[in-house]
Amino acid sequence: MSSTQTTRELRASAPVMSPLPAAPPAAEPTAISRKAAPFSLAWTGLTLFLLTVLGFVCALLPLGTAPALISLSFLGGILYALTARRLPTLLTARATWRATPLLPLALCLLLGAVSVLWTPVRKDGVGQLLTFLYTVVPFLFWIGTLREVDEQRRWLLIRWAVIGMLVGLAIFAVEVVGDQPIYRLEKALEGTKVDHDRALNRPAVLFATLAWPLGLGLARLAWVTGRGAVARLPALTVMRLPPAGRAMPWAWVMPAAFFLAALGGTSASAKVGLGAGLVFYGLARLSARTARVLLIVALVAGPTLSIPISLALHRAGLTEEARMPWSFRHRVEIWDVAARRILEKPLLGWGLDSSRNIPDEGEVSKFHPESPIIPLHPHNIFLQVLLELGVVGSLLYTWLGVGLAWGTRRLPAYAQATALAAIAATIAVGCFSYGVWQTWWLCGIMLAAGLLELNLPAGWWTRAGKA
């Protein structure tokens, strides 16, 4: 039997989900079936537009991920509430608090709010707390509405998000290869200064996470439509599911393409993130359980070992090692200072958003003498949480991360490798790059979670809860 014939038989045998699948006759109706969630044309149009332009936004306007998510959350939430006249079931069902990491997330937000009382500059702490309230809380409402989206709308939204991300990949590749021609034109029209590294680094780290759920969507397109995937996109209405128990073939193609494009850029963090994601994806294809355990070990080891490793790197003289990249040597200096400041207030930390305001105590940076020795944040997620929220906050955030990693076992088999790779890529980027509270990056991560949800079959979470 030829490989072509085998592929055709597999596709023919794959079940097709109807746009609005009916519940089995013998099963008791769920809360969703009793209180159907209507999604208006306005909600669909808003979500479709913002997800389609996401690739363009990430490539040229990376800071725009924040208003994109906030618009989706607030406006989409209002439109949902006007038609459904209720909260999403995700936020009201008791089982949600047992089966999802919502409890540690709520406790993390609560600790951040309380820590404002002892943060060095209370205004900054309050500002960061308000940022959490208008990004994270509405996001939970948005992800709750996505869980109730029917199969037909899921397919509509994810396929156009994939098209938009392919456009974003093309733009990013042009910017890397052509020395940022679009960015230079934009700055020339504005009459503002060109900042080469930052203009490429931000899109690169966003793509390190977003490429994974959209890569899964692209692989599902190929599964359904074969060679005519792009040409037949407008005609597709429902999504075939891959055979039960199989990982989705070719979900690594889009992340690999972004990795190759990032090699020509300046962001080492993005290269490390995409590389770590590819490694974990390959491992998860062999054994999702092994990849999950290793990821949890990394999440626990991060806060445990970050302080001794930071101190050891500085004692080894890496800040003076000329063969090392300048940015890495600067980070070694920052990590050393952050580690020593953590030991001064280990239990509850210095308070939310305190990194930029911790007294220098006469220390001057070798790399930026005119700036605080910890500029904005420690460039490491584990150190930043320990520094600002102490051991208590670190335990809560570790609980949150482990809950997300462990929760991937409930996903359909074809999505588990992608989810684990996205988490691994995000952690790897966070170990070297932007601050954990930076709104645009945090919103990019939350958008990736929403896109992963759209890749899953409608009602998957009710079936997973019964399994």
Side-chain angles (χ1 to χ4, degrees):
M1 182 181 295
S2 68
S3 60
T4 303
Q5 184 178 0
T6 304
T7 303
R8 288 175 180 170
E9 290 176 356
L10 282 171
R11 287 180 177 161
S13 62
V16 180
M17 294 190 70
S18 61
L20 294 170
E28 185 178 345
T30 65
I32 295 299
S33 62
R34 288 196 301 265
K35 297 187 287 186
F39 291 92
S40 64
L41 181 62
W43 184 95
T44 304
L46 172 71
T47 308
L48 180 62
F49 171 74
L50 289 176
L51 292 184
T52 302
V53 301
L54 183 60
F56 175 85
V57 169
C58 290
L60 292 179
L61 305 167
L63 298 181
T65 54
L69 177 68
I70 293 168
S71 299
L72 275 173
S73 301
F74 272 101
L75 299 179
I78 292 171
L79 292 170
Y80 174 94
L82 288 175
T83 51
R85 299 184 182 278
R86 63 178 176 83
L87 292 173
T89 304
L90 175 69
L91 302 181
T92 57
R94 291 182 180 179
T96 298
W97 294 88
R98 296 193 302 269
T100 67
L102 277 182
L103 179 57
L105 176 60
L107 293 175
C108 289
L109 294 175
L110 178 60
L111 176 61
V114 175
S115 74
V116 170
L117 297 175
W118 61 81
T119 194
V121 180
R122 188 167 298 178
K123 180 182 69 173
D124 290 346
V126 171
Q128 185 58 62
L129 179 62
L130 291 176
T131 301
F132 286 151
L133 293 179
Y134 69 72
T135 54
V136 177
V137 175
F139 161 74
L140 295 176
F141 196 99
W142 181 60
I143 199 73
T145 63
L146 290 185
R147 283 208 168 180
E148 300 179 16
V149 172
D150 58 81
E151 195 68 26
Q152 187 169 1
R153 283 189 181 87
R154 284 172 182 256
W155 186 219
L156 172 70
L157 296 173
I158 197 64
R159 75 181 191 243
W160 286 104
V162 167
I163 293 175
M165 191 54 64
L166 290 174
V167 172
L169 171 60
I171 294 173
F172 182 64
V174 167
E175 290 291 275
V176 171
V177 175
D179 193 21
Q180 301 172 266
I182 303 174
Y183 174 70
R184 285 175 176 275
L185 175 61
E186 174 193 347
K187 288 300 178 181
L189 294 174
E190 293 178 354
T192 54
K193 182 181 177 181
V194 174
D195 188 350
H196 295 281
D197 291 351
R198 188 172 298 178
L200 283 179
N201 291 352
R202 284 172 174 162
V205 298
L206 284 173
F207 290 139
T209 298
L210 286 168
W212 287 102
L214 290 166
L216 178 61
L218 180 62
R220 299 187 78 195
L221 288 175
W223 177 269
V224 174
T225 62
R227 295 178 182 176
V230 176
R232 295 168 57 188
L233 275 175
L236 296 174
T237 55
V238 293
M239 173 86 79
R240 276 201 183 103
L241 293 178
R246 280 192 52 165
M248 193 72 250
W250 311 113
W252 55 270
V253 171
M254 183 180 284
F258 275 112
F259 177 70
L260 294 175
L263 289 177
T266 57
S267 176
S269 300
K271 298 169 191 176
V272 171
L274 285 162
L278 289 168
V279 169
F280 263 87
Y281 180 83
L283 179 61
R285 285 293 303 270
L286 296 175
S287 172
R289 178 178 295 179
T290 301
R292 192 157 33 244
V293 170
L294 286 178
L295 190 57
I296 291 173
V297 169
L299 287 165
V300 174
T304 305
L305 301 178
S306 58
I307 294 177
I309 289 176
S310 298
L311 297 174
L313 290 175
H314 191 267
R315 284 198 300 266
L318 291 186
T319 56
E320 307 293 340
E321 183 55 65
R323 291 174 296 180
M324 301 296 292
W326 182 92
S327 60
F328 180 75
R329 291 160 55 202
H330 188 200
R331 277 164 172 71
V332 171
E333 178 188 69
I334 296 170
W335 295 339
D336 173 70
V337 175
R340 288 189 281 113
R341 294 293 186 272
I342 290 168
L343 296 177
E344 294 176 10
K345 295 187 177 183
L347 185 61
L348 295 172
W350 290 78
L352 185 64
D353 205 39
S354 60
S355 295
R356 70 185 75 191
N357 298 312
I358 294 176
D360 290 341
E361 296 184 357
E363 293 186 83
V364 179
S365 171
K366 299 176 183 178
F367 302 92
H368 279 296
E370 72 285 355
S371 302
I373 198 162
I374 300 180
L376 300 182
H377 53 80
H379 291 273
N380 181 282
I381 54 176
F382 300 117
L383 288 175
Q384 184 170 354
V385 173
L386 282 167
L387 182 64
E388 298 187 6
L389 300 176
V391 173
V392 175
S394 183
L395 288 173
L396 291 176
Y397 276 92
T398 300
W399 180 10
L400 173 62
V402 169
L404 289 172
W406 184 245
T408 59
R409 77 194 191 283
R410 295 163 51 86
L411 300 178
Y414 69 83
Q416 291 188 22
T418 293
L420 290 167
I423 297 173
T426 302
I427 294 170
V429 168
C431 285
F432 301 96
S433 193
Y434 296 98
V436 68
W437 315 138
Q438 286 190 274
T439 308
W440 63 272
W441 188 49
L442 190 62
C443 288
I445 296 170
M446 292 189 288
L447 281 167
L451 291 167
L452 178 63
E453 171 65 39
L454 289 175
N455 269 296
L456 306 177
W460 69 271
W461 47 281
T462 57
R463 294 189 289 274
K466 295 175 183 177

